[in-house]
């Protein structure tokens, strides 16, 4: 089988790669890219899914992902086990500009189902948020914890075992994004892989040919950084710049030089 052949090709066990990401409209696209490149070399596991399905997210905080030969999706960074020795893993980290993230969350709130409440309760909450508007929503919502959870793990990981591969890089430098991920995974990026992944290029999304892209099912997703500047007032942006100053400075200094300007105030 392909699985057996892949195992035979492995000269020695590899550290598990954790795709640790803030929740964004591009997470699924990034996961498809990572798994397409990693397939055959790693077991690809949507690690957090079973915790969602069984409604036991709290158990995530005590769980330990497999340490070898897997690529896992971990999209609840606030629930990453703080007692884990991160040096046993490798990490592909995605951090979304928190100013853009809150805009994304505002639009999604009006569309995504919520299993924890009735349709009537959900509509009442939506109407309350609608009345407040996006600026008030952005001022009240705080994404510091979710973003800093990724940064904390990134800072603790061995420098050679971490890759910051962000939403901004995916949108603005797609080919570079692919190359960085492939190099980090130790996989040769073949022409076949590139051809298969071409549909994930954000420039093609306006053609509506990628039915797996979250925007094909839910409006309010976006395909480039900087939406906050168009959707929020200058006053709100100034408050968010101060609230997320530490995060934005980290991103400006740590993300790829080709996209770091997107985190400027």
């Amino acid at each position: 089988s392909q699985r057996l052949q892949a195992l035979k090709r492995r000269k020695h066990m590899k550290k598990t790669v954790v795709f640790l990401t803030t929740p964004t409209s591009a997470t699924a696209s990034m996961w498809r890219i990572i798994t397409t490149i990693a397939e055959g070399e790693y077991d690809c596991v949507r690690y957090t899914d079973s915790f969602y399905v069984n409604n036991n997210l709290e158990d995530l905080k005590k769980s330990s992902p497999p340490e070898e030969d897997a690529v896992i999706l971990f999209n609840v960074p606030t629930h990453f086990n703080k007692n884990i020795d991160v040096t046993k893993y490798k990490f592909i980290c995605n951090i979304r500009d928190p100013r853009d993230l809150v805009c994304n969350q505002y639009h999604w709130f009006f569309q995504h189902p919520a299993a924890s409440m009735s349709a009537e309760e959900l509509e009442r909450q939506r109407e309350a948020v609608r009345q407040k508007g996006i600026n008030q929503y952005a001022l009240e919502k705080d994404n510091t914890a979710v973003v800093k959870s990724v940064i904390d793990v990134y800072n603790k990981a061995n420098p050679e075992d971490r890759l910051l591969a962000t939403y901004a890089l995916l949108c603005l430098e797609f080919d570079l994004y692919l190359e960085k991920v492939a190099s980090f995974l130790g996989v040769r990026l073949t022409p076949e892989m590139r051809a298969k992944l071409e549909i994930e290029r954000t420039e093609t999304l306006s053609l509506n040919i990628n039915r797996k892209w979250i925007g094909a099912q839910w409006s309010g997703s976006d395909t480039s950084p900087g939406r906050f500047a168009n959707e929020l007032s200058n006053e709100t942006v100034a408050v968010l710049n101060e609230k997320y100053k530490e995060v934005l400075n980290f991103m400006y200094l740590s993300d790829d030089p080709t996209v770091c300007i997107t985190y400027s105030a």
Side-chain angles (χ1 to χ4, degrees):
S1 70
Q2 287 185 334
R3 164 83 176 135
L4 186 59
Q5 290 173 349
L7 287 171
K8 287 180 178 178
R9 287 201 305 270
R10 297 175 182 168
K11 294 180 181 179
H12 49 78
M13 306 297 268
K14 307 185 195 69
K15 285 184 180 180
T16 282
V17 179
V18 180
F19 174 40
L20 189 65
T21 176
T22 53
T24 82
S25 54
T27 296
S29 181
M30 290 175 165
W31 179 243
R32 289 191 295 271
I33 291 169
I34 292 168
T35 55
T36 296
I37 295 172
E39 188 176 19
E41 297 294 330
Y42 295 85
D43 295 321
C44 299
V45 182
R46 295 182 62 94
Y47 185 74
T48 52
D49 282 11
S50 63
F51 294 86
Y52 273 117
V53 170
N54 296 315
N55 198 27
N56 58 353
L57 275 180
E58 282 302 305
D59 289 350
L60 262 179
K61 295 179 180 179
K62 298 173 287 186
S63 73
S64 297
E67 295 179 4
E68 295 174 330
D69 287 340
V71 170
I72 71 167
L73 171 63
F74 205 108
N75 56 356
V76 196
T78 53
H79 288 55
F80 191 79
N81 190 339
K82 289 180 169 51
N83 296 316
I84 282 180
D85 179 1
V86 299
T87 62
K88 293 182 177 180
Y89 298 88
K90 299 179 73 172
F91 294 89
I92 297 176
C93 294
N94 170 43
I95 300 171
R96 180 81 181 270
D97 186 320
R99 300 166 300 181
D100 282 343
L101 180 57
V102 75
C103 295
N104 189 258
Q105 291 166 328
Y106 174 80
H107 291 287
W108 279 28
F109 183 72
F110 296 109
Q111 302 170 75
H112 281 217
S116 60
M117 64 182 77
S118 68
E120 293 77 14
E121 289 174 314
L122 180 57
E123 187 50 42
R124 279 198 299 272
Q125 287 203 14
R126 284 174 172 171
E127 183 56 30
V129 170
R130 195 176 288 114
Q131 291 295 324
K132 287 181 181 179
I134 191 170
N135 283 285
Q136 191 61 31
Y137 178 89
L139 292 171
E140 293 178 2
K141 184 81 171 177
D142 192 349
N143 285 310
T144 302
V146 69
V147 176
K148 283 196 171 181
S149 296
V150 183
I151 293 175
D152 287 346
V153 172
Y154 180 87
N155 285 335
K156 290 175 183 174
N158 293 324
E160 67 273 17
D161 288 338
R162 67 191 189 192
L163 172 68
L164 193 59
T166 63
Y167 177 90
L169 190 67
L170 174 77
C171 293
L172 302 178
E173 296 290 344
F174 182 78
D175 294 303
L176 180 56
Y177 182 93
L178 298 187
E179 290 159 9
K180 281 195 166 192
V181 169
S183 176
F184 186 74
L185 293 174
V187 176
R188 186 175 73 86
L189 193 60
T190 65
E192 291 78 17
M193 284 181 191
R194 288 184 182 275
K196 185 175 181 180
L197 292 171
E198 189 64 22
I199 197 169
E200 302 296 343
R201 189 183 294 273
T202 55
E203 293 94 317
T204 69
L205 295 175
S206 61
L207 303 176
N208 206 29
I209 57 175
N210 186 355
R211 301 305 300 171
K212 292 183 178 179
W213 175 257
I214 192 72
Q217 295 94 38
W218 308 100
S219 63
S221 63
D222 48 340
T223 58
S224 64
R227 71 182 299 175
F228 73 89
N230 297 319
E231 298 188 8
L232 302 175
S233 70
N234 292 338
E235 292 77 13
T236 299
V237 171
V239 173
L240 298 188
N241 286 344
E242 183 61 29
K243 178 191 287 187
Y244 298 118
K245 180 166 61 176
E246 184 180 340
V247 170
L248 294 171
N249 185 58
F250 169 85
M251 296 303 296
Y252 183 81
L253 295 174
S254 304
D255 207 347
D256 193 89
T258 61
V259 301
C260 65
I261 193 66
T262 65
Y263 306 106
S264 299

